[in-house]
Amino acid sequence: MARSGWVIGLGTGSTAYYAVEELGRLMREEGLLIAGVPTSHASEMLARTNGIPIKTLDDVERIDLAIDGADQVDGGKNLIKGLGGAHTREKIVASFADLFVVVVDDSKLASRLGLGVPVPLEVISLAVPAVTRRVQKLGGQTRLRMAHPAQAHGGPFITDQGNFLMDASFDEIPDPRSMERELNLIPGVVDNGLFTQIAATILVGSGKDGSVSIIE
Ligand code: DER
């Protein structure tokens, strides 16, 4: 899929991990020459470990291809992302890419977004109470995401940008495009984990037999 000379957006999470490892292998074993724009500190470290040269958005005029996972996908190629906490940078990088390809297994498919999966919101910390009330007006309930117990600092989860994360649960989201806009209109929300009208292709792996289907 990747060609020499390309700049590739490197997603975050357990699925993107395999993509970054494979790009590293192609560079080492098959002479592929690429550069990567990471979407998190974690993906930057993984790329460096795999020998992929790192670029920032300052360094490149365009990104040829961005590859990432997702937490939920509907039939219209709308996504919920950010359960790993990196959706703000993931959306910036994806929006800069000529082609945004999403890789999921079929457990991530849903008839409607929001069913059982919350929408992550990256939030400036002082805005947490105000965001809670505004999300309630949109029909949702929020929870402040806490750091993993193994993280030394404890307390709230802190994003790579130094902000808090709130997870907003809705019964379902009938109009993801308008919800993405509404959530981003709340003062203090940096960005939300709804990705609408941005994914070009979804590759869906079957949990049963490993076959791959394509949503285009
Ligand atoms: O948090 C994120 O945005 C991740 O990219 C997520 O969408 C996919 O993570 P996974 O591949 O570990 O399920």
Side-chain angles (χ1 to χ4, degrees), residues 12-16 68-71 80-87 90 108:
T12 298
S14 56
T15 313
D68 211 337
D71 303 301
I80 293 178
K81 289 180 51 54
L83 293 196
H87 65 271
E90 289 172 338
K108 306 282 184 70

